Amino acid sequence: AKAAQLEGSKIFSRHFCKKYNIPQPNFTYCDDIETAKHQIELLNGYCVVKADGLAAGKGVVVCDTVEESIDASTQMLENNKFGDAGKSILIEERITGIEASIFAVSDGDAAIILGTAQDHKRAYDNDEGPNTGGMGAISPAPALNNDLNQEIFNKIIRPTINGMKSDGMAYEGILYAGIMLTDNGPKVIEFNCRFGDPETQVVLPRLKTDLVEIVKNTVDKNLNGIKINLFDNTAITVVLASQGYPGDFKKGSELPSLSKYDQEENISIFHSGTTENNEKKLISNGGRVLSVTAIGQNVKECRYKAYETIEDINWKNGFYRKDIGKL
C-alpha cells in the first residue's frame, strides 16, 4: 500500500522523484486557492493542474490561460469536484514533446521492461478536447527505440525501484511510467502501479513470454532468471465511448451483437463499460464502452482492421477518435 502511493498521490510521486533526481516537470504543491493563483500567474496560466488523488483519469487539466487554470484549481480546491482527491493539487510546468508509456515489472530488486505503448488521452482527433482515461493506444510506441528505452530504464525505472527499496517501500509488481520525450530528454508525467488502460490492450497481445510465468517469477523474487520476449508485430486499440464522455453521458444504450467477431484471430474486443439487461442484450454502462484491438505486421494494417471493425459495429450512440496510431 505504501508503494502504491506512487500512483495514489501525485504529490508523493513528485516529491519522491525530486528526492532521487528522477527527471520530471517543475511543480508547486497547493492546498489553498491563493497559493494556486500565485503560481498560475507566474506561469501565465500555461500549466497543468492536477488533483493529488485518483480521479478516474479526469483529475488532470491541461491549461492555456490564467482563467482556465484558476477555474480548474477552484473546481478542485473549493467546489469539491473530485472530493478528497482534489483537496490538494499540483500546479505543474507544462512540458512539451511526444508522450509514451513504458511498462516494467519488478520483484523489489530486479526490474525488466515488459513493453511500450503510446496512449491518446484527449477526447477528440488531433489531440483536442478534454483529457480522458484514454481513447486508444499503439504498441510499440512509435517514438521509442532501444536506445531511448534503455535511457528511460536507467534514468527513471531503475532509480524508482532502488529509491522505493531505500525508503522501505519495496516496489513489487507492474510499474507503468507515463513519459514525455522533451528536448531535454525523457521526463515522468505520472506513474501507475498497474497495467494502464487502454495501453494494456495493445501490450499484452504482443507478449510472447507467458504472463503467468512473469507473475510467478515476480512473486518468487526471481526476475533475474527470466527473459521477456515480444512478438515482432504491431497492435492498435481504438476506444468506442458513449457520446458526451468524459462529461455527461447516458447509460443503457443497446449495443449491436458482437458474436460474429469471436472467431477473428487478429481482432479482440475488450469490454470496458458494458452490462446485460434482463433480456440478455448487451448495453452500455460507462463512458468508455469497448476497446477494439487489432494485431498486424505494421501500423497501416492494424489501423485498417481496427477501424473496419468499429465501422462494422456501427453503434449509433458512440463516438471514437479516427486518428489513433496515425503517423
Side-chain angles (χ1 to χ4, degrees):
K2 285 183 179 177
Q5 290 178 98
L6 272 180
E7 176 178 0
S9 170
K10 293 181 178 68
I11 291 166
F12 171 89
S13 176
R14 287 297 183 223
H15 285 303
F16 172 84
C17 288
K18 187 175 181 181
K19 179 179 178 181
Y20 288 104
N21 297 313
I22 296 166
Q24 64 177 350
N26 294 321
F27 67 94
T28 299
Y29 161 81
C30 311
D31 58 9
D32 67 272
I33 195 65
E34 292 310 316
T35 306
K37 283 181 179 176
H38 176 70
Q39 189 59 25
I40 287 164
E41 297 283 354
L42 289 176
L43 293 168
N44 294 319
Y46 191 76
C47 61
V48 181
V49 180
K50 290 185 176 181
D52 174 46
L54 301 177
K58 303 184 190 76
V60 177
V61 185
V62 181
C63 304
D64 293 313
T65 65
V66 169
E67 291 74 22
E68 272 185 89
S69 308
I70 290 175
D71 179 62
S73 303
T74 303
Q75 291 292 337
M76 294 181 197
L77 288 171
E78 302 208 324
N79 296 355
N80 213 30
K81 183 173 183 179
F82 299 118
D84 288 347
K87 283 188 173 176
S88 302
I89 65 171
L90 291 172
I91 307 294
E92 290 188 359
E93 165 198 18
R94 189 167 155 184
I95 57 176
T96 55
I98 298 173
E99 285 190 43
S101 306
I102 294 268
F103 288 84
V105 60
S106 172
D107 60 10
D109 287 308
I112 309 176
I113 291 178
L114 271 177
T116 70
Q118 182 183 337
D119 186 11
H120 296 69
K121 288 278 186 204
R122 296 295 191 100
Y124 311 127
D125 287 5
N126 304 313
D127 288 329
E128 294 178 357
N131 257 347
T132 72
M135 292 297 293
I138 178 172
S139 178
L144 294 180
N145 54 41
N146 288 337
D147 289 343
L148 271 172
N149 290 352
Q150 195 58 51
E151 182 182 356
I152 292 166
F153 184 83
N154 293 341
K155 292 183 177 178
I156 295 171
I157 302 295
R158 185 74 266 169
T160 300
I161 300 304
N162 290 348
M164 294 302 280
K165 187 181 178 185
S166 295
D167 287 352
M169 297 180 257
Y171 191 98
E172 300 172 19
I174 302 296
L175 179 66
Y176 158 117
I179 304 294
M180 183 76 82
L181 301 171
T182 75
D183 289 342
N184 298 315
K187 295 187 178 183
V188 176
I189 303 169
E190 64 174 358
F191 287 117
N192 284 353
C193 300
R194 55 188 167 88
F195 279 119
D197 172 43
E199 294 94 328
T200 312
Q201 285 91 321
V202 289
V203 171
L204 286 189
R206 299 187 56 240
L207 194 61
K208 201 171 187 178
T209 308
D210 189 347
L211 180 61
V212 174
E213 183 187 346
I214 296 168
V215 170
K216 189 171 186 312
N217 281 48
T218 303
V219 172
D220 293 342
K221 298 193 171 22
N222 190 31
L223 267 185
N224 272 328
I226 190 171
K227 187 175 188 321
I228 293 175
N229 295 305
L230 295 164
F231 289 108
D232 184 21
N233 58 9
T234 301
I236 284 177
T237 193
V238 181
V239 170
L240 191 50
S242 299
Q243 286 179 10
Y245 174 79
D248 293 332
F249 57 86
K250 290 180 180 176
K251 297 181 181 181
S253 165
E254 187 176 332
L255 292 154
S257 171
L258 304 173
S259 58
K260 67 177 177 179
Y261 307 108
D262 289 349
Q263 304 307 315
E264 291 279 351
E265 283 190 10
N266 294 316
I267 292 286
S268 299
I269 300 178
F270 296 98
H271 293 244
S272 305
T274 65
T275 188
E276 285 184 339
N277 61 15
N278 293 335
E279 298 163 14
K280 296 293 182 186
K281 295 271 178 68
L282 194 64
I283 58 169
S284 65
N285 193 42
R288 292 184 294 169
V289 178
L290 300 171
S291 294
V292 176
T293 300
I295 299 166
Q297 290 309 303
N298 53 54
V299 174
K300 186 178 178 183
E301 184 184 337
C302 287
R303 277 178 53 81
Y304 177 78
K305 286 179 184 173
Y307 282 109
E308 182 185 46
T309 304
I310 280 200
E311 286 165 20
D312 189 49
I313 291 170
N314 194 27
W315 180 43
K316 304 292 187 192
N317 293 309
F319 80 98
Y320 56 95
R321 280 184 56 164
K322 297 175 178 63
D323 62 347
I324 303 301
K326 192 173 179 182
L327 301 176

